[in-house]
Amino acid sequence: MRPLTPFLERLADEIRKHYALTNVDIKITSDRAMKNVLNTVGAFVWNIILFSDGLLKKSHDLQTTVLVHEFGHRVYFPETRAKQEVYSIIAELAGIPEHSTGRFLNIIGDLMINRANLYDVWHKQMYRGLRESYFSPKEERKVYDNYTFFLNVLNASLHEYRNHKMPVLTSTEEKAYH
């Protein structure tokens, strides 16, 4: 297991102090394992944050974005295992298929966390890191899917943060955004 860089060590300590979460640990994990197994570069597994070693080559803004975001799962959504179970039941009652519940809740949680973090202590780094990770290079989407939905609602949050005119959203995206 790789040790944290001095930058990540300081940042993790600041985040823990800010949110009073002294029991959350960060583990640097191989980029290959993160992408092949979890299809991501960062993950929150209750009191452990998995952080891809590939992120160590990226900007401090992106590293901050990922670390603050993953702490956000413990702070904002789902926050506790009990709440996660309640959200799963609500999603099921709303008609989300059981095999899609985890993905659905993660998309909703990620949007809530990113939006909340755009107005917290690390908002400038969050904005720059979100722009770096999701919007460059700009990719042409041929198929509308869960990821497209996520990007469109996230883009609306970024526009709101910068006080720019809101982009056109579908009615479902608009409801999710509000």
Side-chain angles (χ1 to χ4, degrees), residues 1-151:
M1 193 71 54
R2 260 178 107 160
L4 297 182
T5 64
F7 170 76
L8 281 177
E9 191 70 57
R10 279 191 309 277
L11 179 62
D13 288 345
E14 286 176 31
I15 297 169
R16 285 183 189 108
K17 184 177 179 184
H18 179 72
Y19 291 123
L21 289 173
T22 57
N23 63 338
V24 176
D25 196 18
I26 296 104
K27 305 272 188 219
I28 305 292
T29 307
S30 80
D31 193 51
R32 197 176 90 215
M34 290 293 290
K35 288 181 179 173
N36 289 344
V37 177
L38 299 173
N39 195 29
T40 188
V41 294
F44 175 76
V45 187
W46 293 110
N47 290 330
I48 298 172
I49 292 173
L50 302 175
F51 194 88
S52 168
D53 64 3
L55 287 170
L56 300 176
K57 300 174 194 155
K58 303 292 185 179
S59 73
H60 281 183
D61 287 334
L62 184 56
Q63 291 178 38
T64 301
T65 297
V66 171
L67 198 57
V68 170
H69 172 88
E70 295 308 332
F71 268 95
H73 282 288
R74 184 66 173 84
V75 175
Y76 299 113
F77 191 95
E79 190 180 354
T80 67
R81 291 174 196 241
K83 285 184 179 180
Q84 180 177 352
E85 191 59 34
V86 169
Y87 298 144
S88 295
I89 292 167
I90 291 169
E92 187 180 322
L93 292 173
I96 303 298
E98 188 176 341
H99 68 277
S100 299
T101 300
R103 177 85 175 123
F104 170 77
L105 291 175
N106 193 57
I107 288 171
I108 298 302
D110 285 353
L111 289 168
M112 290 172 61
I113 291 163
N114 289 341
R115 190 168 183 182
N117 285 336
L118 282 170
Y119 296 94
D120 206 341
V121 175
W122 297 275
H123 63 96
K124 290 178 184 174
Q125 296 94 328
M126 284 297 300
Y127 177 78
R128 291 188 301 256
L130 288 170
R131 297 274 311 162
E132 180 181 337
S133 63
Y134 291 110
F135 296 100
S136 84
K138 186 77 172 164
E139 68 178 75
E140 187 67 33
R141 301 297 295 175
K142 303 268 189 265
V143 176
Y144 187 92
D145 58 14
N146 293 342
Y147 191 67
T148 311
F149 171 87
F150 173 81
L151 287 178

Side-chain angles (χ1 to χ4, degrees), residues 152-166:
N152 290 347
V153 177
L154 177 60
N155 190 33
S157 293
L158 294 176
H159 275 70
E160 175 188 24
Y161 171 82
R162 299 294 290 183
N163 292 317
H164 291 160
K165 183 180 177 206
M166 292 301 246

